[in-house]
Structures are given as structure tokens and as C-alpha cells.
Amino acid sequence: MRFYYPAALLAFLGACASLTQEECLNADWRAIGYNDGVRGRLESYVSRHFDACGKVGITPDVQAWQAGRAQGLPLYCTPANAYSIGRAGNDLSPVCPASQQNSLFQNWDWGKEYYLITQEISHLEDEDRAIRKRIATEFSTPPLTPEQTVVLAGLNNRIRWINDEVFRLEQRRRRYASAPI
């Protein structure tokens, strides 16, 4: 099984209150658990609700929360959702039954590939813009020196390569544009 949890993300999430004071005071613990299940939150996530609601003297109803979470998890544990999670560049939470892992990871991998290709295209497009800006600022006033002409030719070659690469990646990305379900 593969689950990825960037340390910075976990530290950031740990610093956030899970619920506001008003949410704690008016809590429907079954609904909160359901929403946490739909989001793929671990069973230990309820401790964040204890921390947040303890500040206003409220103790979460763990049984209602667990029942709601159990109802929400099946909506998280779908191939289509796994694809969406991967496509957004996020990691799957290890909350789904082992019997579903192969299908979920196949769909997550498919979505993650779409995300990674999109990131690569974005970086190339950023590089293209930077090169074009450099050309506009450094090579806009003729006459160019022989050295500038060589550099400009190299930059234009790089732009052509970037355009070809972006085209190739866009073709490849089409393959991953929807879940393989």
C-alpha cells in the first residue's frame, strides 16, 4: 500500500481547529462524522474535535460521530473520487477497505498522472514566458552583436522545443483526462 503524507501538510493541519465554537455548540455529531467520512478522515480525527470543542466545554458524541463517519466513508472510497483526488494532486487517505485498494489506486494513479503532466506543462509555459520576456527586454534594440545573435538563436530554439514538448504533453495528458473506471 502507498500512502503519502507530506510532513508540512500534517503539521499545518494539526494547527487548524476542526470546528468553530459555534459549530461545537450546535453540533450534530452524526452529520460531522458523515462529512469527515466523505473527506476520508482517519478515525483519530475525532481528537481534533475534542480539542476544538473542549475549549467551549463541549464533548463530542463519539458514537454518533463514528456512525456518521461510517456512512460517509463509502462516498470517499470510490474509484471516481480516487481519480479526482489524484487529479487534484492530493494523496489518498488510508481509510478504505483492502478489497478496494487495487481499483482505488489504479484510479488515483491515473488522476495523479494527469496532475503531474499538467504541472510539467505549467512549468514549461512559465519558462516560455520568461524567455519571451528576456527576448523583449534584452534583444529589442538592433543592431545586435554577433554574441547576442547567437544567444537569441538559442533562446528561439528553446522556445520551439518548449512548444513541441507542450504539444506532446498535451497529447499524452488527453489519455488521463478522465478516470479509467
Side-chain angles (χ1 to χ4, degrees):
M1 275 194 219
R2 297 171 293 170
F3 299 105
Y4 307 98
Y5 296 102
L9 177 63
L10 290 176
F12 171 76
L13 290 175
C16 299
S18 65
L19 300 170
T20 66
Q21 288 183 0
E22 187 171 324
E23 288 171 324
C24 290
L25 293 170
N26 300 310
D28 174 348
W29 290 106
R30 185 179 210 80
I32 292 169
Y34 177 84
N35 288 328
D36 287 344
V38 168
R39 290 180 179 94
R41 297 216 168 115
L42 297 170
E43 194 166 1
S44 62
Y45 192 83
V46 74
S47 67
R48 293 186 187 186
H49 298 320
F50 272 98
D51 292 343
C53 295
K55 295 174 185 170
V56 291
I58 302 293
T59 301
D61 180 343
V62 176
Q63 286 184 322
W65 181 85
Q66 287 174 331
R69 180 178 171 270
Q71 288 178 325
L73 282 175
L75 295 174
Y76 180 82
C77 299
T78 66
N81 190 49
Y83 172 78
S84 295
I85 291 167
R87 187 171 165 151
N90 296 318
D91 297 321
L92 281 174
S93 178
V95 296
C96 302
S99 62
Q100 293 179 282
Q101 295 299 316
N102 287 340
S103 174
L104 294 177
F105 276 112
Q106 176 187 6
N107 283 272
W108 177 82
D109 284 339
W110 204 261
K112 189 71 168 198
E113 187 64 23
Y114 182 92
Y115 171 80
L116 293 172
I117 293 168
T118 300
Q119 292 297 104
E120 193 172 345
I121 289 170
S122 179
H123 292 298
L124 289 170
E125 289 172 340
D126 289 345
E127 182 182 353
D128 181 85
R129 280 188 292 279
I131 291 170
R132 289 177 190 278
K133 183 177 179 181
R134 180 177 175 198
I135 289 171
T137 58
E138 291 182 29
F139 304 97
S140 61
T141 52
L144 299 178
T145 67
E147 293 83 16
Q148 287 177 312
T149 303
V150 170
V151 171
L152 181 58
L155 292 173
N156 283 321
N157 284 337
R158 181 68 181 170
I159 288 172
R160 279 190 291 282
W161 179 87
I162 289 170
N163 289 331
D164 290 345
E165 187 66 8
V166 167
F167 178 79
R168 186 189 68 74
L169 288 167
E170 286 172 342
Q171 296 296 316
R172 186 168 160 233
R173 182 173 63 174
R174 284 191 187 110
R175 176 176 183 220
Y176 300 98
S178 59
I181 301 173

